[in-house]
Amino acid sequence: MNWKLLFSLSLLGLVMAVATLYWIGPRIEPLFWLIDFVFCAWMIVRRAPGRLFLHGFVLGLLNCVWVTAAHYIWYDTYMANHPQMADMMKNSPIDLRTMQLIVGPFIGAISGVVIGLITLLVGAIAGKKPAAA
């Protein structure tokens, strides 16, 4: 595993976490994440020693730490800029702040699978074969 690469790429997740607090609205957020995922996949294919899917998966988990932490710490800012999320959670038995801590790791795992699959696709296009375990 190339931990330096993964940590460096996860800093883009931190940038995205802050950007979704202030500038990137929920309507266009998936597009920005897709661009981020494709760029990260390309960098993993170029610099990872192998195990492309695993690198992508771990990156998704690292990103989730940044995003969950930022949304938890700056909860009021997140809510102010995501009123539809606040509306959805009005009748929930669990407050959104706690819900983010619960759901964050699952979203990280799902995004990790997506990044891993995109990384395999980019690797196949680039002609890099996945290394055997």
Side-chain angles (χ1 to χ4, degrees):
M1 292 289 290
N2 187 337
W3 290 104
K4 183 178 176 183
L5 172 67
L6 290 174
F7 179 75
S8 298
L9 291 174
S10 81
L11 293 177
L12 290 173
L14 176 59
V15 169
M16 281 292 296
V18 173
T20 59
L21 288 169
Y22 297 101
W23 306 291
I24 299 175
R27 283 185 166 174
I28 61 169
E29 184 177 343
L31 175 64
F32 279 86
W33 278 112
L34 179 62
I35 293 167
D36 178 67
F37 289 178
V38 170
F39 173 77
C40 288
W42 178 66
M43 293 303 293
I44 289 170
V45 167
R46 288 188 64 215
R47 300 189 180 191
R51 297 186 173 171
L52 300 178
F53 180 85
L54 183 60
H55 276 82
F57 183 76
V58 170
L59 179 59
L61 295 177
L62 291 173
N63 282 343
C64 116
V65 171
W66 292 121
V67 174
T68 302
H71 290 180
Y72 185 84
I73 292 167
W74 292 290
Y75 176 77
D76 294 330
T77 301
Y78 181 78
M79 285 292 102
N81 293 319
H82 295 81
Q84 73 288 356
M85 185 69 74
D87 287 342
M88 281 187 345
M89 297 304 295
K90 278 183 183 173
N91 298 323
S92 175
I94 302 173
D95 70 300
L96 183 58
R97 195 172 205 175
T98 303
M99 182 71 79
Q100 289 174 334
L101 292 176
I102 295 167
V103 175
F106 294 104
I107 294 173
I110 292 167
S111 69
V113 168
V114 171
I115 298 169
L117 292 173
I118 293 171
T119 303
L120 288 176
L121 177 64
V122 170
I125 292 169
K128 188 169 185 178
K129 295 186 183 312

